[in-house]
Amino acid sequence: MYSFIGKRSIRKDALPKTSGTIKFVNDLEAPGMLIGRILRSPYAFADIRRIDASEAERLGVVVLTPDDIPQKPFNPRLVSIHEVTYKDTYVLTKKPRYVGDAIAAVAAPSEELAQRAIESIRIEYERIYEPILDPFKAMEPGAPLIHERIMKGSEWVNVERNIAATLNYVEGDVDKAFRESDIVIERRFKTGKRYHMQLEPKSVLCIPEPGGKLTIYATTQTIHNTRILVSQIFDIPLSKVNVVKVPIGGSFGSSIQVNYLVPIAVALCLKSGKPVKISYTREEDILDHSNFVFHFRMKIGARRDGVLMGAEFENILDAGAHQVQPYPLLGTSLGWFVSMYKWRNIRYISKAVYTNKVPACALRGYGAPEVQWAVETMMDELAEELKIDPIELRLKNYVGRGEIFWGQGPTVKSVIKSDGVPELLEKGRKLIGWEKRSHPSRKKGRYRRGIGLARGFHTSGAGGPISGEVIDYTGCILKLNEDGTLDYITALQDHGGGTLDAHVKIISEVLGVPPELVNLATASTENTPYDVCTHASRGTYAGGEAARRAAEIVRSKIFEYAARIVGRVVNPEAFKIKYDEELKQAIVYVEGTDIKIPLSEIARIAWQKNWGTIGAFVSYRATSAPPSFTVYFVEVEVDTWTGKVRPIRVIAGADVGTLVNPDMVEGQLHGGFAMAWGMAFTENTVYEENGELAGRGLITDYKIPTITDMPTPEDFIVITADTYEPTGPFGAKGLGEAAMNPAVGAIANAIYNAIGVRFYELPITPDKIVKALRERGEIP
C-alpha cells in the first residue's frame, strides 16, 4: 500500500552514531572557550551567611555567586501555561535545599584551574537544619518549611506544611458506590526514586556574539523553551538568544525542563564575555535529576458480576527540593487512572510535597508506569476475588473506542477512535499459553514459574480540542531544493528513538521522494517555528502530522509549477506524484496520459525561470491525543532460595495504528521492557539520614539491567494490532512511553502467579522476596 511507510530501513543517524562521529554538546568547542565548574551544597537543608570567593578570584578565574545573578524564581519546565507554573528555583542560591544545590560557579581556561578555584571557595553557614526526607513528615505540623514563599504564575504564595501543589477531583458518589459493591479492595503502594541513567550527562556551551546576542548549544528536549527561559531570567529579548539543536544522547524526560547548568553557563558567559562550556560528571548528573516517588492509596469496588462501581485514589508525591512542575503530574496521574477503566464514580486526592532530595522530574511514562503497576495489581487481585478470568475482567471494564480519554489529565480530553486492546489480549493469550497457567498454591520447589498480564497505554502528545493547562503545539519548514531534493527543519528533538526518520518517511510517502533525498537540516530557534518539546510520546503523532501537512502544501505547489510547464493540463488537481523505482526519484504525472515529469526537472525549471522556491511553513496543534495501547504477558522464574527473578518469555503487544518503521516499534518494546525490569527489581536512589545519596551517588552503585538480564530474542515476541488512527499521520500513533508503561504490572503479577506473594513497594529486591517467603514459612 505504501512506498516507504511500514518498510524497514536504516536510520539516518545510524552510521554517525555507530562510528562515533556524531557530535554531542560535550564534543563542541569554541575559540577562547572557558570551562565552567559548579560549587554544590554538601548540606541538604541550610542557610548561607557568607560566600568567600577571594582565593578563586586571586587565581584569575571568573567567579559567580548569587549576588551576580538576577534573583528571580523560575521553574525550569515551561510546558504548563503561566498561571499554573510554580517557581521556587534560583540560578544560584544562598538557601540550599538538597545535597547538590548550586551555590557558586567559576569559569577558567582549563578544567584543572576551574576545579582548583571552585575548591578554594569558602562557605559560612548561618544555620544547618536536619533534612526532611519523608513527605509525610514534611507535612507534619511544626516541620520546618523548605520554602516559605514561592510564585504561582505572577503571584507570590505562602507554602503551608511543605505542600508544593494540590489537585483534588470528584465525580459521582464514591461512598454510595462502595456501599453497593460486593467486593472492595484497598491497598497502599510506594515506588522507587529512579535516576534516568540516560547515556549523555548534561552539557551546555554558551557563546557571546556581536550585538549582545547569545548562541547556546545545550542538552535539551526543547530548544525553544530553553530560549524563552534564558530570556526571562536575564531580560534578554528572544531575538538575541539562539539555541541550536544538537543530537541528544538519550533523555527519558530528564531534559524536558531546561537543565540547571544552562542559566549558570549563560551567566558566566555574560560576565566573562567569552564562550563557556559546562559538562556534568556522571555523579553531578545524578544530583541534577531523578523521578518522583509516588505514595498511592487505592480503593476499588466492584459487583459480583465484575462491573466496577467506584474508586478512590490518594496520591502523595515526593517532589524533592524544587518544583520541576509536579502540578501537571498530579493531573496526569489522575488521567492515567481514570483512562484505564470505567470506574463510574471517582474521588481523587493528591498533594506534591517538598523534601530535601534531588528535584524530581518526568521520567519515561510521567507516572503512567507507576499508576498502571498499582491498578493492574489490584485488577489481578479483584479478578481472583471475583473468580473471573483476569483477561475477561479487563475487557469488561477497560476504556476503549468511542469513550472519553483524558490520559494527560482533566484538561486534555478527546474521544478514542482506534483501539487494538481486544486483538492484543487475544493474540497474547494464545502465544503465552494463558489457559495452561496454574494457581500459585500448586507450585512447589526452589524454582517456580509464573505468568502475569497487564495492559496500559500512553497518550500520543498532549493535544486536544480545547486549550487546557498544557502547551502543546509544534511546527516545521519543508522546502524543495533546486535539484528536487528536500530540506526538512524542525525544532522537535529526536531522543534516539528514530522520530525524525519517521517524519522523513511521512514526507517521502506524500511526495514520492526517497528518504535519502530528504535532508534533516540543522535546526535552531532562529529558523524553526515553536515546538514545546519532545515529550508525551508526541514525536511521530504530532510532529509527523506537521510534516505531513507541510509535504501536502509542497505537493500542491509542485502541481502548480507542473501545470505551468505542461500547459495543456486543465488545472493542478489533475496531477499525481509517486516514487519511480526505475528512476529512483519522484515523478509527477497525469493518469491515463503520457504526461510524466521528474520532480528534479520541475525544480530545475522553476529555478531557471525565476518562479521562486517551493516551501511550506507549518505550525500545528493536534486536536486529539489518542492512546497507544500496550499489553504485556510475562513468564518469570523465581529462585525462592535467593529471591532472584529471571524472565523466561515475553509477549509484548502494541497498538500504534500504522507502523511507520517496524524496527523502531520492536526496538521501543524491547527497550521499554528492559527499563521496566530495572524499575521492578533494582533501580532506586537511597538517601542517608544526612540527605546525602548512599554511596555518595557513585554510578557504580546504581544498577540497571544488562542484556544478560533479558530473555533471548527468540523468547521476546512482539505483536501489533491492525488499527488505523484517523487523526494521525497515515494512521499512526506514538509508542515511546506506552512501550514501558504496563510492563512492571505484568512482571509483578507473574511473580504472584509463581510464589503467591504480592509486593506493593518497588523495587522488588531479592531480599524482599526471601523475607516474604520466610514469613510464610516456605523457606528456612
Side-chain angles (χ1 to χ4, degrees):
M1 178 180 179
Y2 297 124
S3 298
F4 304 103
I5 288 177
K7 305 290 171 59
R8 298 182 188 273
S9 58
I10 298 173
R11 284 168 44 172
K12 286 180 176 290
D13 60 359
L15 183 60
K17 282 187 173 174
T18 53
S19 63
T21 55
I22 200 167
K23 299 286 187 187
F24 298 98
V25 176
N26 193 37
D27 298 315
L28 305 179
E29 293 185 347
M33 183 179 79
L34 303 179
I35 303 297
R37 296 291 293 150
I38 299 168
L39 179 66
R40 300 179 179 281
S41 173
Y43 298 108
F45 193 177
D47 294 335
I48 291 172
R49 177 178 295 132
R50 197 169 74 89
I51 300 172
D52 179 4
S54 55
E55 181 59 29
E57 288 168 344
R58 275 195 290 276
L59 291 171
V61 305
V62 181
V63 178
L64 208 62
T65 70
D67 294 334
D68 299 309
I69 308 284
Q71 289 302 297
K72 291 181 186 175
F74 66 90
N75 190 314
R77 179 183 165 110
L78 297 181
V79 178
S80 302
I81 61 172
H82 175 72
E83 291 80 359
V84 294
T85 297
Y86 293 73
K87 305 167 192 171
D88 62 31
T89 302
Y90 296 83
V91 178
L92 298 172
T93 184
K94 290 183 178 177
K95 293 179 176 293
R97 293 302 184 250
Y98 75 100
V99 174
D101 227 345
I103 296 171
V106 302
S110 71
E111 189 169 7
E112 188 268 341
L113 180 58
Q115 187 64 33
R116 279 173 53 205
I118 208 74
E119 290 176 5
S120 73
I121 296 175
R122 297 291 174 261
I123 307 295
E124 186 179 332
Y125 290 91
E126 184 174 332
R127 185 170 178 182
I128 298 168
Y129 305 84
E130 183 180 343
I132 307 172
L133 303 174
D134 183 316
F136 295 96
K137 289 184 177 177
M139 289 189 288
E140 288 178 355
L145 291 176
I146 295 172
H147 299 279
E148 295 180 354
R149 296 180 76 217
I150 61 174
M151 290 193 79
K152 181 183 180 185
S154 300
E155 304 293 326
W156 284 98
V157 296
N158 293 325
V159 176
E160 297 180 357
R161 295 169 53 214
N162 284 311
I163 296 172
T166 61
L167 179 68
N168 299 325
Y169 183 88
V170 176
E171 188 172 299
D173 187 338
V174 176
D175 294 323
K176 181 171 180 286
F178 286 148
R179 287 196 299 273
E180 294 176 352
S181 296
D182 297 309
I183 302 285
V184 176
I185 298 176
E186 183 173 4
R187 298 287 181 268
R188 291 182 181 274
F189 300 84
K190 183 187 174 189
T191 64
K193 188 168 177 61
R194 291 176 292 144
Y195 168 57
H196 296 67
M197 198 63 178
Q198 78 287 355
L199 280 174
E200 180 194 8
K202 297 173 180 182
S203 190
V204 59
L205 169 62
C206 182
I207 301 174
E209 307 282 3
K213 190 174 169 182
L214 296 174
T215 300
I216 299 170
Y217 303 82
T219 309
T220 184
Q221 295 172 228
T222 168
I223 58 173
H224 281 277
N225 286 348
T226 300
R227 181 196 213 190
I228 291 170
L229 190 67
V230 168
S231 167
Q232 291 177 347
I233 292 173
F234 296 98
D235 283 329
I236 304 173
L238 285 175
S239 59
K240 288 186 177 293
V241 180
N242 185 33
V243 182
V244 182
K245 190 169 76 171
V246 183
I248 188 169
S251 183
F252 302 122
S254 65
S255 291
I256 289 176
Q257 67 276 12
V258 180
N259 294 315
Y260 294 126
L261 78 180
V262 172
I264 296 174
V266 169
L268 286 167
C269 180
L270 290 171
K271 187 170 183 179
S272 66
K274 294 182 178 180
V276 173
K277 183 166 80 174
I278 304 176
S279 297
Y280 283 160
T281 64
R282 181 60 76 176
E283 284 67 36
E284 285 182 299
D285 200 79
I286 204 170
L287 288 175
D288 179 274
H289 56 89
S290 52
N291 77 327
F292 294 88
V293 177
F294 296 82
H295 299 259
F296 297 145
R297 181 181 62 80
M298 290 182 183
K299 184 177 178 181
I300 61 175
R303 289 192 324 222
R304 185 61 64 186
D305 61 1
V307 172
L308 295 172
M309 298 294 289
E312 186 173 58
F313 178 16
E314 183 180 54
N315 179 15
I316 304 299
L317 204 59
D318 184 344
H322 296 290
Q323 297 219 19
V324 190
Q325 205 50 359
Y327 171 74
L329 181 54
L330 298 178
T332 52
S333 297
L334 174 60
W336 310 137
F337 185 79
V338 167
S339 298
M340 281 289 282
Y341 294 105
K342 290 172 275 195
W343 304 111
R344 294 178 174 79
N345 299 279
I346 306 157
R347 180 160 57 223
Y348 179 63
I349 305 156
S350 71
K351 296 178 180 65
V353 183
Y354 285 118
T355 59
N356 295 114
K357 295 180 183 172
V358 170
C361 69
L363 174 56
R364 190 179 191 174
Y366 201 41
E370 290 86 352
V371 172
Q372 291 174 20
W373 158 61
V375 170
E376 289 297 86
T377 296
M378 295 192 75
M379 288 299 285
D380 230 42
E381 286 193 69
L382 184 62
E384 189 168 16
E385 288 277 349
L386 294 170
K387 296 182 172 50
I388 296 176
D389 184 287
I391 294 177
E392 302 307 321
L393 183 65
R394 287 169 169 86
L395 286 171
K396 192 182 191 84
N397 290 288
Y398 85 99
V399 177
R401 186 171 182 172
E403 289 164 323
I404 299 293
F405 172 77
W406 44 300
Q408 281 286 340
T411 69
V412 184
K413 298 182 180 181
S414 56
V415 177
I416 298 173
K417 296 180 179 174
S418 59
D419 171 12
V421 172
E423 180 184 348
L424 294 174
L425 285 173
E426 190 54 37
K427 284 181 177 176
R429 178 207 296 260
K430 291 177 181 172
L431 287 168
I432 200 73
W434 182 255
E435 314 301 344
K436 295 179 181 175
R437 74 176 196 148
S438 58
H439 192 270
S441 61
R442 297 173 60 186
K443 296 171 185 176
K444 306 295 179 188
R446 175 177 174 178
Y447 297 100
R448 302 178 195 176
R449 292 189 176 187
I451 294 174
L453 149 73
R455 55 158 297 270
F457 63 87
H458 205 82
T459 58
S460 303
I466 307 297
S467 181
E469 295 179 342
V470 182
I471 298 169
D472 192 294
Y473 66 97
T474 187
C476 67
I477 293 171
L478 181 66
K479 70 181 179 69
L480 181 69
N481 295 321
E482 291 68 32
D483 63 351
T485 62
L486 292 155
D487 285 331
Y488 174 64
I489 315 171
T490 176
L492 192 143
Q493 180 65 278
D494 189 332
H495 291 194
T499 301
L500 296 186
D501 283 78
H503 293 193
V504 167
K505 282 192 170 187
I506 288 165
I507 292 167
S508 294
E509 198 63 50
V510 174
L511 295 175
V513 176
E516 59 268 24
L517 298 183
V518 181
N519 174 46
L520 291 172
T522 302
S524 74
T525 49
E526 284 185 342
N527 64 14
T528 56
Y530 178 86
D531 174 77
V532 62
C533 67
T534 309
H535 76 136
S537 303
R538 66 193 282 277
T540 297
Y541 176 75
E545 177 61 14
R548 189 193 68 79
R549 291 178 180 223
E552 289 206 338
I553 293 170
V554 167
R555 185 177 61 185
S556 296
K557 293 179 179 178
I558 289 170
F559 290 168
E560 289 175 12
Y561 281 10
R564 283 201 215 179
I565 294 169
V566 175
R568 57 196 169 101
V569 175
V570 292
N571 66 48
E573 293 178 12
F575 286 101
K576 293 182 182 301
I577 194 168
K578 66 179 181 181
Y579 175 63
D580 188 300
E581 284 276 0
E582 188 175 333
L583 297 176
K584 303 296 182 189
Q585 66 166 304
I587 295 294
V588 177
Y589 67 101
V590 177
E591 274 185 327
T593 75
D594 60 354
I595 296 172
K596 187 167 79 170
I597 319 169
L599 177 59
S600 59
E601 183 63 8
I602 295 173
R604 190 192 69 79
I605 292 172
W607 168 44
Q608 291 297 304
K609 290 184 178 294
N610 292 296
W611 289 350
T613 297
I614 288 177
F617 175 102
V618 170
S619 181
Y620 171 68
R621 153 75 177 196
T623 55
S624 182
S628 301
F629 295 108
T630 43
V631 167
Y632 274 93
F633 289 83
V634 178
E635 182 177 12
V636 301
E637 181 181 84
V638 181
D639 182 340
T640 58
W641 290 10
T642 65
K644 176 78 174 173
V645 181
R646 184 169 70 94
I648 303 299
R649 285 187 300 154
V650 176
I651 312 298
D655 164 22
V656 296
T658 300
L659 276 66
V660 178
N661 190 336
D663 282 342
M664 298 300 105
V665 171
E666 292 178 14
Q668 287 282 10
L669 289 162
H670 279 266
F673 181 80
M675 206 161 178
W677 195 260
M679 175 179 168
F681 295 113
T682 59
E683 294 190 50
N684 192 20
T685 51
V686 178
Y687 284 76
E688 307 284 3
E689 287 184 0
N690 65 359
E692 192 174 359
L693 283 173
R696 308 200 70 180
L698 291 176
I699 205 63
T700 48
D701 292 330
Y702 191 82
K703 304 300 183 189
I704 62 170
T706 70
I707 194 168
T708 60
D709 298 305
M710 294 293 100
T712 64
E714 294 75 25
D715 291 319
F716 194 109
I717 299 172
V718 171
I719 56 175
T720 55
D722 183 16
T723 60
Y724 184 93
E725 172 54 44
T727 66
F730 291 100
K733 298 189 277 190
L735 176 59
E737 291 159 287
M740 174 189 176
N741 289 350
V744 176
I747 293 166
N749 287 336
I751 293 173
Y752 172 75
N753 185 245
I755 62 174
V757 180
R758 293 200 183 274
F759 295 89
Y760 303 102
E761 180 177 318
L762 297 177
I764 307 169
T765 52
D767 59 301
K768 289 178 183 173
I769 292 175
V770 170
K771 180 172 183 284
L773 290 170
R774 279 202 179 116
E775 288 174 352
R776 289 160 56 101
E778 296 201 26
I779 59 172

Coordinates of all heavy atoms in Angstrom, one line a residue, residues 21 108 137 164 183 267 302 403 413 467 519-520 579 589:
T21 N 31.2 9.4 15.1 CA 31.5 10.7 14.5 C 30.4 11.8 14.8 O 30.6 12.9 14.5 CB 31.6 10.6 13.0 OG1 30.4 10.0 12.5 CG2 32.8 9.7 12.6
A108 N 37.2 29.0 33.9 CA 38.6 29.2 33.7 C 39.0 28.6 32.4 O 38.3 27.8 31.8 CB 39.3 28.5 34.9
K137 N 6.4 13.2 56.9 CA 7.0 14.0 58.0 C 7.1 15.5 57.6 O 6.9 16.4 58.4 CB 8.4 13.5 58.3 CG 8.4 12.1 59.0 CD 9.8 11.7 59.4 CE 9.7 10.4 60.2 NZ 11.0 9.9 60.5
A164 N 3.7 21.5 48.0 CA 4.1 22.3 46.8 C 2.9 22.6 45.9 O 2.8 23.6 45.2 CB 5.2 21.6 46.1
I183 N -17.5 -6.4 46.4 CA -16.1 -6.6 46.8 C -15.4 -5.2 46.8 O -15.6 -4.4 45.9 CB -15.3 -7.4 45.7 CG1 -15.9 -8.8 45.6 CG2 -13.8 -7.5 46.1 CD1 -15.6 -9.7 46.7
A267 N 25.1 32.9 32.6 CA 25.6 34.0 33.5 C 27.1 34.1 33.4 O 27.7 35.2 33.4 CB 25.2 33.7 34.9
A302 N -16.4 -3.4 43.3 CA -17.0 -4.0 42.1 C -18.1 -4.9 42.5 O -18.2 -5.3 43.6 CB -15.9 -4.8 41.3
E403 N -15.1 6.0 23.7 CA -15.2 6.6 25.0 C -14.2 7.8 25.2 O -13.3 7.9 24.5 CB -15.0 5.5 26.1 CG -16.2 4.5 26.1 CD -15.9 3.2 26.7 OE1 -14.8 2.7 26.7 OE2 -16.8 2.7 27.4
K413 N -8.9 16.3 27.0 CA -9.8 15.2 26.8 C -10.1 15.0 25.3 O -10.1 16.0 24.6 CB -11.1 15.4 27.5 CG -11.0 15.5 29.0 CD -12.4 15.6 29.7 CE -12.2 15.7 31.2 NZ -13.5 15.9 31.9
S467 N -8.0 24.3 24.5 CA -6.7 24.7 25.0 C -6.8 24.6 26.5 O -7.4 25.4 27.2 CB -6.3 26.1 24.6 OG -5.1 26.4 25.1
N519 N 16.7 15.8 3.5 CA 17.7 16.2 4.4 C 17.1 16.7 5.7 O 16.2 17.6 5.8 CB 18.6 17.3 3.8 CG 19.6 17.9 4.8 OD1 20.3 17.1 5.4 ND2 19.7 19.2 4.8
L520 N 17.7 16.2 6.8 CA 17.3 16.7 8.2 C 18.2 17.9 8.4 O 19.4 17.7 8.9 CB 17.5 15.6 9.2 CG 16.4 14.5 9.2 CD1 16.8 13.4 10.1 CD2 15.0 15.0 9.5
Y579 N 6.7 7.7 -6.3 CA 8.1 7.3 -6.4 C 8.2 6.3 -7.6 O 7.5 5.4 -7.7 CB 8.5 6.6 -5.1 CG 9.9 6.1 -5.1 CD1 11.0 6.9 -5.3 CD2 10.2 4.7 -5.0 CE1 12.3 6.4 -5.3 CE2 11.5 4.2 -5.0 CZ 12.5 5.1 -5.2 OH 13.8 4.6 -5.2
Y589 N 2.8 13.1 -12.7 CA 2.2 12.6 -13.9 C 0.7 12.8 -13.9 O 0.1 13.2 -12.8 CB 2.5 11.1 -13.9 CG 1.8 10.3 -12.8 CD1 0.6 9.6 -13.1 CD2 2.3 10.2 -11.6 CE1 0.0 8.8 -12.1 CE2 1.7 9.5 -10.5 CZ 0.6 8.8 -10.8 OH -0.1 8.1 -9.8

